[in-house]
Amino acid sequence: MSIQLPVDIDTVKGFLAASEGEALFHLASGCAALGACLEVGSYCGKSSIYLGTACRETDNILFAVDHHRGSEEHQPGEEYHDPALFDSSAHLMDSFRTFRANMRAAELEECVVPVVAPSAVAARRWNTPLGLVFIDGGHSREAALTDYRCWARHIVPGGFLAIHDIFPDPADGGQAPHEIYQLALASGQFELVEMVDTLGILRRL
């Protein structure tokens, strides 16, 4: 079923397929009674618009966690570097200005709460129950494990863990998201609901 978004999503920078975004929208729409939503790795806000729109329609909140300095692959000289997001005065990547502009254009500023910090710092004293956690942060093994260990424990029973860029075949992509997906299943605390392209959706038991 197609969904109505407040902006032309194709104009928003990001790496989320439409099918994956729509799956996130429907997940967020259905979990409002369980708790807030949280994503790790907002970048320019493509996933935030899908999730935030669902939160606005269900009177929920999305916490958007990202240091906005880019993942490993976004740095100068790397495959996914975007010069338009490089702050030449600071000599650092900075996607936050673009993220904020996109949230403003989508009229989501009252239901999307940006948390501009590394994942581990944001989680240090976290105590808000979560109905949905979407992990799409750094794809190094260390970054993915940190995101999983920091946030999966805050998902309430019946809530959802969604992990992006799961590639079972190493020839197709990095293995860190696939590794935390396997860890979640092996923990006995999550069960697979479905795979949508590279998006794995699990339910907390």
Side-chain angles (χ1 to χ4, degrees), residues 60-84:
N60 203 357
I61 286 287
L62 169 67
F63 295 99
V65 179
D66 197 315
H67 50 60
H68 287 284
R69 294 304 187 189
S71 299
E72 300 83 357
E73 64 271 18
H74 298 143
Q75 303 308 314
E78 299 299 323
E79 182 177 3
Y80 293 104
H81 176 64
D82 184 344

Side-chain angles (χ1 to χ4, degrees), residues 54-139:
C55 286
R56 183 173 62 188
E57 293 179 359
T58 56
D59 194 27
N60 203 357
I61 286 287
L62 169 67
F63 295 99
V65 179
D66 197 315
H67 50 60
H68 287 284
R69 294 304 187 189
S71 299
E72 300 83 357
E73 64 271 18
H74 298 143
Q75 303 308 314
E78 299 299 323
E79 182 177 3
Y80 293 104
H81 176 64
D82 184 344
L85 300 177
F86 187 73
D87 181 349
S88 57
S89 62
H91 303 288
L92 294 167
M93 295 299 295
D94 189 352
S95 56
F96 186 50
R97 183 174 181 177
T98 300
F99 172 85
R100 289 200 70 178
N102 287 332
M103 294 307 100
R104 184 169 59 252
E107 299 182 350
L108 293 174
E109 291 179 301
E110 293 190 2
C111 59
V112 175
V113 180
V115 182
V116 186
S119 184
V121 174
R124 190 174 296 163
R125 298 296 295 270
W126 191 269
N127 58 16
T128 300
L130 299 171
L132 168 64
V133 168
F134 172 49
I135 296 179
D136 191 21
H139 284 12

Side-chain angles (χ1 to χ4, degrees), residues 146-189:
T146 295
D147 292 341
Y148 171 69
R149 289 168 176 164
C150 282
W151 299 108
R153 59 194 175 94
H154 294 290
I155 301 171
V156 301
F160 296 92
L161 171 64
I163 303 170
H164 192 224
D165 287 335
I166 295 175
F167 296 104
D169 186 346
D172 294 329
Q175 291 297 285
H178 186 249
E179 182 174 347
I180 63 171
Y181 163 75
Q182 290 179 311
L183 279 175
L185 290 176
S187 73
Q189 297 180 347

